[in-house]
Every structure is written in structure tokens, then in C-alpha cells.
Amino acid sequence: MSNNILVTGATGNVGFEVVRLLSERRSSVKAAVRSHSTSRVRLPSGVESVEFDFEQPQTFELAFRGINTLFLVRPPAISQVKKYIYPALTTAQAAGVDRVVFLSLLGAERMAIVPHAKIEAYIKSLGLAYTFLRASFFMQNLSTTHCQDVRDNNEIFVPAGKGKTSFIDVRDIAAVAVKVMTEPGHENRAYSLTGSEALDYYEVAEIFTNILGRKIFYTHPFVFNFALKMYRRGFNAGFIAVMLGIYTTARLGLAAKVTDDVRNLLQRSPISMSEFVRDYRASWMSQSQHQV
Ligand SMILES: NC(=O)c1ccc[n+]([C@@H]2O[C@H](COP(=O)([O-])OP(=O)(O)OC[C@H]3O[C@@H](n4cnc5c(N)ncnc54)[C@H](OP(=O)(O)O)[C@@H]3O)[C@@H](O)[C@H]2O)c1
């Protein structure tokens, strides 16, 4: 039977990697993008894309046509999952999708209040075959949301205190996603995806210092100072609240859980923080540092 896969969030951290890996394997993949004309990200050549917007239900039917497997990413800005995500799932099922691989959140099974838990419950209630990828905190948050602080001020500016986090590289999440979507045996399972160790931000700053060759400080700001800086930088209140929730969780020592799921599924060690910083080194170099 054919396995036609639709990847949502295809221009984002995880979805882009999933599309790239599937296209390398020559799997049948379609990338769901909000708009062909305004998409800032270039998809790998030869990958077919289709317009899809959770806030535009008229885009659903065409996007799901001929699809069996859905890789579902909840866009961080969508918190009203009942209004925007449930209808997409219902339409997907009616169009013939019988399998959903959902990018969820580490610990979602214990946090009924988070949108990810509600989406998991809805997928189950539809009777679709599912695989939940409950991921820990992405290493790539340091090369995207927090990049500027490291690049311009040599600091990691997050209010996480001395708490440890079991950071994961999104490339490992994508590799797991591709594996579970392309081989049998992962139906109706949930995996908790973490790196192989939990680090505090002092340890992360030391890794950055050693690899970038300049001193990077962890300045552990107060929550208020962090929120103010993020607000002035243009992040919206909802996103800042989510970040505060995440860093409070870390500060309280609740983000340190390490599992073997990535190692067991990929038969190799998860990507380490040092490997991540080496691979993304250019992100934290200013123009002048690039010229040296
Ligand atoms: N960051 C973490 O540490 C972490 C950890 C565990 C779980 N998660 C979960 O992972 C998910 C985010 O994954 P990510 O970081 O790979 O995503 P991301 O990089 O934030 O990208 C979001 C994607 O969603 C698309 N999108 C935005 N609004 C949309 C809409 N209305 N309809 C359709 N697509 C839309 C974006 O497209 P455009 O390019 O058009 O904007 C983009 O492709 C969230 O649910 C988050 O809670 C994150």
C-alpha cells in the first residue's frame, strides 16, 4: 500500500528537517506551506508543496487529498486548538488520512492543560492510528529565539536558574519522525524524546565558550527583566508567557528527564550539545567575526 505523507510546519524547525529527510529517501512527501508566494524558506528541490493554513479551512481538502499519513505540528501561535486544529484533523480523517504522527511535548501525558495534551486526546478520540513524539526542549531555540543574545552580547539570557534541561536537537526528532512514518510497528505509541544528558545553562555556556572561542556568559536574568527584554524585542505576550512557563519548569528541575527512546529508535547516541554548537557555529558569529 502506498504511504503518502503530508508534513505540516514544513518551513519550521522540525518539519523542514522531516521534509528534507523524506525527500532524500525518495519517500512520497508533500510539504504543507501557508503560502507559496510568501514562504521565506526554500524547500528541498523537487519537493511538492500545497497551500495549507489551520486558520483557513478551505485549504484543508486539497491538502489532504491522497494523503495517508499526516505529520502534525501545532504552530506555537495557535493555542485555540479546538477552533483551529480539531477541524483540520476531522477533515484529514474524512479525506482518508489514517495515521497521525504528532510533534508533542515532553510530559504532555501529565499536563492536561497544555494544547499538546488536548490534541493527543482528540487524535485518540477519532480512532486514528497515532504516534506521539513528546519532545524535550530544542537545542535550536539557542540558534533561533535566543541567537541574538549570544551573537551580539555573548550571553545566554534565559530565566532558568540552575535547573537542568535534557536538550534535544531537532534533527534527531526529525530522524525519529521519518523512521516511525516509514516502518511498521509504531502505531498507537508515544515516545519521549530527549538528548542523552541534562545540562544547566552554566554548562551550556561553557560548551559555547569552548567551541566559539570567546567567553559566553549565562546571565540568568530575573523573570521580569527577561519578559521586558523579549517584549521590547517584539515577541508577543502569549509567546513570552509560554517561554516563562518553559524556563520556570526548567528552574524547578522538571525539565531534566532523560530517556533512551532516541537511542533505541535510531540505534545511535542523540546529537550532543557540543555537536549542535559546532554545526551551528556560524549562527552566533557577527559580520566582523565571519571576516576574521
Ligand atoms: N521549541 C521547543 O523547545 C519545543 C519543544 C517541544 C515541543 N515543541 C512544539 O513544537 C511545535 C513547533 O515546532 P517547530 O519549532 O518545528 O515550529 P516552528 O519552527 O515554530 O514553525 C512553525 C511552523 O508552523 C507554520 N505555521 C504557522 N502558522 C500556521 C498556520 N496558521 N497554519 C499552518 N501552518 C502554520 C509555520 O509556517 P510559516 O513559515 O508560514 O510561518 C512554520 O512552518 C510547537 O507545537 C511547540 O510547542 C517545541
Side-chain angles (χ1 to χ4, degrees):
M1 201 185 92
S2 62
N3 182 20
N4 299 321
I5 302 170
L6 181 74
V7 177
T8 62
T11 56
N13 291 310
V14 178
F16 182 84
E17 277 298 315
V18 171
V19 169
R20 195 180 63 75
L21 292 178
L22 286 170
S23 84
E24 260 176 32
R25 292 175 46 112
R26 303 195 179 285
S27 299
S28 167
V29 58
K30 231 186 241 184
V33 297
R34 265 200 286 187
S35 158
H36 286 130
S37 52
T38 59
S39 182
R40 286 165 289 127
V41 174
R42 267 210 25 228
L43 295 168
S45 70
V47 170
E48 195 184 332
S49 63
V50 62
E51 290 197 334
F52 173 82
D53 189 329
F54 286 107
E55 296 182 46
Q56 308 284 335
Q58 69 277 16
T59 62
F60 296 172
E61 216 177 298
L62 182 62
F64 294 129
R65 198 173 291 166
I67 300 295
N68 326 91
T69 301
L70 173 64
F71 181 69
L72 177 67
V73 175
R74 174 198 68 100
I78 293 191
S79 49
Q80 288 177 277
V81 297
K82 201 170 176 182
K83 181 169 177 191
Y84 295 116
I85 309 284
Y86 292 8
L89 283 165
T90 313
T91 312
Q93 186 176 38
V97 168
D98 54 16
R99 170 98 203 274
V100 180
V101 175
F102 171 50
L103 174 58
S104 187
L105 183 68
L106 189 65
E109 69 279 17
R110 287 178 279 106
M111 301 186 283
I113 192 175
V114 297
H116 311 77
K118 294 176 189 156
I119 295 170
E120 288 190 4
Y122 191 67
I123 293 169
K124 279 185 175 177
S125 77
L126 291 174
L128 290 159
Y130 66 84
T131 313
F132 300 146
L133 306 181
R134 297 178 179 146
S136 183
F137 188 83
F138 301 170
M139 292 179 185
Q140 276 74 2
N141 295 324
L142 296 163
S143 59
T144 54
T145 312
H146 303 300
C147 178
Q148 190 180 337
D149 299 312
V150 178
R151 190 190 58 217
D152 300 346
N153 305 329
N154 295 323
E155 65 177 344
I156 297 176
F157 189 84
V158 296
K162 293 179 184 162
K164 288 183 185 280
T165 297
S166 56
F167 296 91
I168 183 162
D169 190 303
V170 299
R171 294 172 293 180
D172 281 342
I173 302 172
V176 167
V178 167
K179 188 172 174 68
V180 305
M181 289 194 288
T182 54
E183 66 176 36
H186 304 284
E187 292 79 9
N188 304 335
R189 316 259 324 236
Y191 297 111
S192 296
L193 306 181
T194 75
S196 56
E197 61 182 341
L199 299 168
D200 65 37
Y201 283 89
Y202 292 102
E203 292 167 317
V204 174
E206 198 177 320
I207 292 170
F208 271 73
T209 298
N210 291 337
I211 293 170
L212 300 188
R214 61 185 208 269
K215 181 75 185 159
I216 304 298
F217 300 88
Y218 169 44
T219 47
H220 53 85
F222 287 118
V223 165
F224 177 78
N225 295 349
F226 172 78
L228 188 65
K229 187 164 178 176
M230 293 300 124
Y231 181 73
R232 289 193 174 138
R233 198 173 277 172
F235 289 108
N236 70 43
F239 189 62
I240 294 170
V242 170
M243 283 197 274
L244 289 177
I246 288 168
Y247 294 119
T248 303
T249 305
R251 204 167 56 246
L252 297 174
L254 303 173
K257 179 179 168 180
V258 170
T259 72
D260 282 332
D261 284 2
V262 171
R263 190 186 299 274
N264 291 341
L265 286 158
L266 300 181
Q267 296 292 299
R268 62 161 172 80
S269 302
I271 296 169
S272 68
M273 181 61 80
S274 300
E275 287 171 86
F276 160 71
V277 179
R278 238 174 266 128
D279 292 348
Y280 285 72
R281 198 168 187 266
S283 317
W284 304 289
M285 303 301 236
S286 62
Q287 280 283 310
S288 58
Q289 287 161 342
H290 276 296
Q291 281 156 14
V292 171

